[in-house]
């Protein structure tokens, strides 16, 4: 029997459309001889849909029509079977549309990639590919991620962080905090957005004010760090899990603006998402720097307890030669398949490994104890129902 793979995509995120592109690339790369592919599209309002029409990118131009030709579903766990049922229920039709054996999340951004979708799949007990709840959440949060990486001795830029509420109530304190710890030029980022949204640089206090106002519109937590002026950016993907993880070749994305923008990343060749962005591949850097970046990429991936395929982005300060981990994308655009093709692994092989890693994690998880079969509320005369709390 073929395994049913649910490819989950979309969601309430500014990167919704990028996710559609990434997911359709994945859907068309999975080996159909081994797997039944089930698209599960999450709308911007959080409704779940399935249906064959969701597999064609052209259909997304008229979303109302696409949804009217697809089926809205709810997913439930029936004695271990993960069943998709048509919603709303109809007395005239059998609502059961099929089952899912494993999920492949291909979502980007807040409310989905950050552990939300992963938590939903955990609750339903559906095996899923990629990072777990913790690593997804850490990967999305620029502050928490830096704290963990710094503690693990990995190189990150010095930073200052605070709640945006404090910026509004105590701007003098925030300026003092930033300027006592960091030198201009600075770069200001919302803690958890992506695709360069809400990020600006500041060469002086006036620009800092604007940058802080802008970032505050996107997150209630803000991070400010030193801006690397003589900058080179290098990305490296990692595939595996806590036991075994391999780095891909490195790429150097090519930007047309001061900082790598949404436009650079996605709008060069609209329908190709991240795989259509301009890049130097492999990156033209010395071998020892490639080796260092690959080593740091694997360490970052494993310290954060990542699984599946991630992309770790680095900043190189051309003046000092220092390499910094900038961020991890726990579900990278186009799943970084172009980096793996350049490393000698086809997109189909990549999706195969992701599914197998998901099943491996589930087998390991099944050996852990999550609950006891005894019901302490059914125990009589031992004070069971009184408990200790
Ligand atoms: N410390 C920095 N110094 C210089 N440029 C930076 C720095 N941090 C980020 N950038 C630029 O801003 C872009 C977006 O920042 P990043 O931290 O990667 O956020 P996002 O999650 O939105 O991709 C980077 O690709 C890089 O071009
Ligand atoms: Mg980035």
């Amino acid at each position: 029997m073929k395994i049913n793979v649910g490819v989950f995509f979309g969601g309430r995120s500014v990167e919704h459309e990028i996710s559609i592109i990434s997911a359709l690339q994945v859907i068309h790369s999975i080996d159909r001889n081994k797997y039944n592919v089930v698209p599960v599209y999450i709308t911007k309002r959080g409704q779940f849909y399935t249906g064959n029409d969701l597999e064609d990118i052209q259909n997304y131009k008229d979303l109302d029509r696409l949804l009217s030709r697809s089926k809205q579903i709810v997913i439930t766990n029936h004695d271990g079977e993960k069943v998709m049922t048509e919603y709303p229920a109809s007395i005239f039709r059998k609502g059961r549309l099929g089952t899912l054996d494993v999920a492949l999340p291909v979502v980007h951004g807040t409310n989905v990639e950050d552990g939300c979708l992963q938590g939903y799949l955990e609750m339903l007990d559906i095996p899923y590919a990629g990072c777990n709840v913790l690593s997804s959440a850490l990967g999305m949060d620029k502050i928490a991620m830096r704290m963990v990486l710094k503690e693990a001795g990995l190189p990150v830029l010095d930073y200052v962080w605070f709640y945006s509420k404090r910026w509004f109530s105590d701007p003098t304190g925030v300026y003092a905090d930033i300027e006592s710890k960091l030198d201009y030029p600075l770069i200001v980022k919302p803690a958890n957005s992506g695709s360069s949204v809400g990020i600006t640089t500041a060469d002086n206090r006036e620009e800092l004010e604007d940058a802080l106002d802008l970032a505050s519109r996107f997150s209630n937590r803000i991070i400010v760090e030193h801006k690397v002026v003589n900058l080179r950016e290098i990305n490296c993907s990692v595939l595996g899990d806590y036991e075994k993880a391999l780095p891909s070749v490195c790429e150097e994305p090519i930007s047309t603006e001061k900082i790598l923008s949404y436009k650079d990343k996605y709008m060069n060749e609209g329908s190709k998402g991240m795989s259509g962005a301009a890049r130097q591949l492999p990156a033209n850097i010395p071998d020892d720097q490639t080796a260092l970046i690959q080593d740091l990429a694997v360490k970052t991936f494993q310290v954060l307890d990542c699984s599946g395929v991630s992309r770790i982005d680095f900043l190189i300060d051309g003046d000092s030669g220092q390499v910094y981990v900038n961020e991890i994308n726990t579900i990278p655009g186009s799943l970084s398949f172009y980096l793996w093709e350049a490393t000698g692994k086809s997109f189909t092989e990549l999706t195969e490994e992701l599914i197998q890693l998901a099943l491996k994690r589930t087998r390991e998880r099944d050996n852990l104890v999550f609950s006891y079969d005894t019901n302490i509320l059914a125990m009589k005369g031992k004070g069971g129902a009184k408990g200790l709390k």
Side-chain angles (χ1 to χ4, degrees):
M1 273 253 289
K2 284 193 202 171
I3 293 176
N4 295 333
V5 181
V7 177
F8 285 67
F9 60 105
R12 205 153 44 85
S13 151
V14 291
E15 293 166 281
H16 183 97
E17 284 78 12
I18 315 301
S19 159
I20 296 173
I21 295 170
S22 293
L24 295 201
Q25 291 172 332
V26 170
I27 283 172
H28 295 295
S29 301
I30 296 173
D31 183 354
R32 303 268 172 156
N33 295 319
K34 283 181 87 169
Y35 303 104
N36 287 321
V37 181
V38 183
V40 181
Y41 172 57
I42 310 167
T43 67
K44 287 184 180 173
R45 293 167 60 198
Q47 301 144 317
F48 287 52
Y49 281 85
T50 194
N52 291 338
D53 285 8
L54 293 164
E55 296 185 20
D56 185 351
I57 192 85
Q58 298 301 329
N59 293 340
Y60 290 81
K61 287 181 180 155
D62 186 346
L63 208 51
D64 290 339
R65 183 163 182 271
L66 173 60
L67 295 185
S68 72
R69 293 158 64 104
S70 306
K71 295 244 168 29
Q72 191 176 346
I73 53 166
V74 286
I75 304 170
T76 41
N77 183 332
H78 286 281
D79 286 333
E81 237 190 359
K82 318 307 161 7
V83 180
M84 295 181 295
T85 310
E86 191 172 354
Y87 178 88
S90 158
I91 48 168
F92 302 110
R93 284 194 301 270
K94 248 178 62 191
R96 188 180 159 118
L97 296 177
T99 57
L100 297 175
D101 299 312
V102 58
L104 191 44
V106 191
V107 287
H108 304 311
T110 40
N111 303 314
V112 264
E113 184 187 358
D114 54 2
C116 289
L117 176 59
Q118 291 74 12
Y120 168 81
L121 295 167
E122 292 274 357
M123 293 294 290
L124 284 167
D125 204 15
I126 301 180
Y128 60 95
C131 286
N132 59 16
V133 173
L134 176 67
S135 44
S136 301
L138 285 173
M140 185 63 65
D141 192 281
K142 292 185 185 350
I143 299 167
M145 183 204 67
R146 275 168 181 67
M147 287 175 175
V148 175
L149 296 185
K150 204 169 169 185
E151 171 70 21
L154 289 161
V156 290
L157 279 161
D158 288 336
Y159 63 91
V160 171
W161 81 271
F162 45 89
Y163 290 102
S164 52
K165 271 258 171 80
R166 184 167 164 238
W167 160 237
F168 296 126
S169 63
D170 177 25
T172 317
V174 168
Y175 284 137
D177 208 8
I178 295 171
E179 289 172 349
S180 67
K181 294 191 184 116
L182 304 170
D183 294 327
Y184 288 100
L186 301 170
I187 185 157
V188 180
K189 309 176 182 182
N192 60 359
S193 76
S195 298
S196 308
V197 175
I199 298 181
T200 29
T201 61
D203 289 338
N204 48 53
R205 193 182 266 204
E206 229 182 1
E207 289 179 7
L208 180 60
E209 181 178 353
D210 291 342
L212 290 170
D213 279 343
L214 179 77
S216 304
R217 287 171 49 197
F218 294 96
S219 175
N220 67 340
R221 288 154 70 247
I222 310 295
I223 179 165
V224 181
E225 62 187 17
H226 179 66
K227 179 189 160 194
V228 178
V229 181
N230 188 357
L231 173 71
R232 279 184 88 177
E233 294 186 66
I234 304 292
N235 303 341
C236 178
S237 179
V238 174
L239 173 63
D241 65 5
Y242 69 98
E243 274 186 317
K244 184 175 165 225
L246 293 175
S248 72
V249 296
C250 296
E251 67 165 332
E252 180 167 12
I254 296 170
S255 63
T256 55
E257 295 172 32
K258 255 205 308 193
I259 62 172
L260 207 58
S261 66
Y262 192 86
K263 189 166 143 258
D264 286 324
K265 289 178 184 167
Y266 305 124
M267 290 168 69
N268 287 340
E269 286 189 63
S271 62
K272 289 197 181 165
M274 195 59 191
S275 60
R279 61 175 53 82
Q280 173 81 42
L281 177 61
N284 191 9
I285 49 173
D287 288 348
D288 56 342
Q289 206 161 41
T290 300
L292 170 69
I293 286 175
Q294 289 178 324
D295 180 53
L296 291 174
V298 170
K299 286 188 173 131
T300 299
F301 182 92
Q302 293 193 318
V303 158
L304 297 173
D305 191 18
C306 292
S307 178
V309 67
S310 292
R311 196 190 75 229
I312 296 90
D313 296 352
F314 294 85
L315 305 175
I316 303 179
D317 185 335
D319 294 331
S320 65
Q322 179 67 45
V323 173
Y324 299 98
V325 181
N326 179 42
E327 64 164 342
I328 183 164
N329 296 282
T330 53
I331 306 183
S334 302
L335 296 191
S336 292
F337 79 85
Y338 50 92
L339 291 178
W340 289 102
E341 280 182 353
T343 312
K345 204 180 281 292
S346 72
F347 203 170
T348 302
E349 287 167 334
L350 174 64
T351 55
E352 170 70 24
E353 283 194 35
L354 293 176
I355 295 166
Q356 292 307 324
L357 281 165
L359 298 174
K360 173 192 176 218
R361 181 170 57 202
T362 303
R363 283 194 302 274
E364 291 182 355
R365 232 182 77 117
D366 287 347
N367 290 327
L368 299 176
V369 176
F370 283 108
S371 66
Y372 295 105
D373 285 337
T374 45
N375 175 2
I376 58 164
L377 296 180
M379 286 161 68
K380 282 195 196 119
K382 296 237 170 92
K386 284 188 201 150
L388 287 172
K389 265 190 156 180

